[in-house]
Structures are given as structure tokens and as C-alpha cells.
Amino acid sequence: MKYKIVPVTPFQQNCTVMWCEKTLKAVVVDPGGDVHKIVNLLDSEKLILEKILLTHAHIDHAGGTAELASLKNVPIEGPHKDDQFWIEGLDQQSAMFGFPKVNSFTPNRWLNDGDQVTFGGVVLDVLHCPGHTPGHVVFYNADEKLAQVGDVIFQGSIGRTDFPRGNHQDLIRSIKEKLFALGDDVRFIPGHGPMSTLGAERQHNPFVADHRG
């Protein structure tokens, strides 16, 4: 599996294009906007877009979803159904944050904890990690020990929980019980900012560090 990060929107959200090297079949995780940048990467790498994956439905992660799905005629998988209200409120979100008007959509498949999504010969495990939003999911590739964690955890920080139906305790539980259980050597792509490893965050992230050892 290969991947490239395409920062999109004024929030510099890490939209991620992942693809199977054998088949060149690809997914786009969190097309928040600037769809032309995403399409340019797909074209330059000669990739066949198979589906769109969403970690959660905040505007900077989901704003370009309907446009890209329509353009490429591909299905949308994720997030968990508890984020449906965020999808239904995309209009309000775009107005609130000064984003271009976007079209709403209905995912072809809502994702649950323990599900898997596939593209080409690649399998991603789905972890439901509520807290930042109630329906937030994480995508994990065991072969590469690589996770796309959206806005659950960042290098040195964690996701905000002051949005509607955010929950700080749920977020901490998601990080400590679900993400850290994957192993210290797992690298992750956050929704914003630089990549890190779960081990580095378990040791040094002031919000979730394990100081017992």
C-alpha cells in the first residue's frame, strides 16, 4: 500500500489518498475540499478511485465528498451513523466557517467497530473512536502498521470535544483503549499537522501520556 497526503481547505486538513500498488485502485480519506487537488493526484499517479472513506463529518473533512463522489461515480463509506446529524448540517457548517456551499450526501455504507473496508488487495480495519464526534472512525492497515486517525489524536494534542455531542471522556477512552492497543510502533496520519507514532504519543502527549512506564 502507498499513500500521499493532500492538505485541503483553509484548515489544512490531511486528506489522504491510499492505493494498492498491484492494482492502482485507491481510496480518498476525508476529501474536505479543494477537490481539484485530489483529482490531480489521482490522475498523476494513474490511480483508479474505488471509494471515498470518511473518518467523521466535520466540514473540513467531508465538505468535498458529494462533489468527488459525483465526479468519479464512486460510493462513500463511513463514518459511523452517529455522525449523520453532522452530514445533515453541512450547509450550516459551511456558512459558519466561511466554506463554499457544499452538497449533502448519504453514505452508501455506515461503518461500525470491527468492520473492514477494502480497495484493490488492501484491507483497512475500522475502529469506532467516539469523542471528537460521536460517529468518528479510524482506519487501520495492519500490514503497514499505519492508521488514519482523523481528529482523534495529533502529535502532542488530541481532538476538540466542545462541539455538539463531543465527549472528552469518550475521546480519552478511544485513544487509550482502542488506539494504544494497536501498538507503539504504529504510525498515524492525523487530520491536521505532522505524522507521529502511537508510542511517542503514549509517552509524551500531555493529554494521554502513560507516566507509569
Side-chain angles (χ1 to χ4, degrees):
M1 185 186 85
K2 293 185 77 171
Y3 68 92
K4 282 195 175 175
I5 296 168
V6 186
V8 296
T9 84
F11 290 11
Q12 290 293 285
Q13 189 272 125
N14 288 332
C15 170
T16 308
V17 180
M18 300 177 171
W19 67 93
C20 168
E21 291 175 81
K22 289 178 187 167
T23 63
L24 295 183
K25 289 187 174 176
V27 292
V28 171
V29 184
D30 289 357
D34 298 330
V35 168
H36 62 284
K37 292 183 182 176
I38 302 166
V39 171
N40 286 345
L41 175 59
L42 293 169
D43 291 347
S44 69
E45 297 286 351
K46 299 182 170 54
L47 303 177
I48 306 147
L49 185 60
E50 200 169 328
K51 59 189 70 168
I52 293 166
L53 303 179
L54 295 178
T55 63
H56 65 296
H58 282 163
I59 186 76
D60 55 321
H61 292 255
T65 303
E67 181 184 349
L68 183 61
S70 171
L71 194 64
K72 294 291 190 179
N73 193 27
V74 292
I76 302 159
E77 299 190 5
H80 182 281
K81 195 164 186 180
D82 284 352
D83 262 21
Q84 184 170 3
F85 77 104
W86 278 117
I87 295 175
E88 291 168 353
L90 278 170
D91 254 3
Q92 284 174 296
Q93 291 189 62
S94 61
M96 187 185 304
F97 291 107
F99 277 62
K101 185 172 168 56
V102 300
N103 292 324
S104 192
F105 56 88
T106 301
N108 299 80
R109 178 189 178 198
W110 297 105
L111 295 175
N112 295 304
D113 195 66
D115 282 350
Q116 291 185 323
V117 295
T118 61
F119 54 100
V122 178
V123 177
L124 300 177
D125 295 314
V126 176
L127 291 79
H128 180 210
C129 293
H132 178 65
T133 70
H136 200 302
V137 297
V138 163
F139 300 103
Y140 174 59
N141 181 257
D143 292 337
E144 300 286 338
K145 297 200 171 199
L146 178 74
Q148 220 296 358
V149 300
D151 287 356
V152 175
I153 190 169
F154 307 102
Q155 184 187 69
S157 189
I158 58 173
R160 290 173 59 174
T161 54
D162 56 338
F163 293 117
R165 294 185 61 192
N167 185 298
H168 182 75
Q169 286 179 307
D170 285 350
L171 184 73
I172 299 301
R173 191 178 305 117
S174 292
I175 294 167
K176 291 193 169 183
E177 296 181 7
K178 296 228 176 128
L179 294 188
F180 285 173
L182 297 174
D184 283 355
D185 55 346
V186 171
R187 296 171 302 138
F188 68 85
I189 303 165
H192 307 265
M195 292 179 64
S196 184
T197 66
L198 293 175
E201 300 313 305
R202 191 175 65 77
Q203 285 185 295
H204 304 299
N205 188 312
F207 297 94
V208 286
D210 176 3
H211 294 299
R212 289 169 299 172

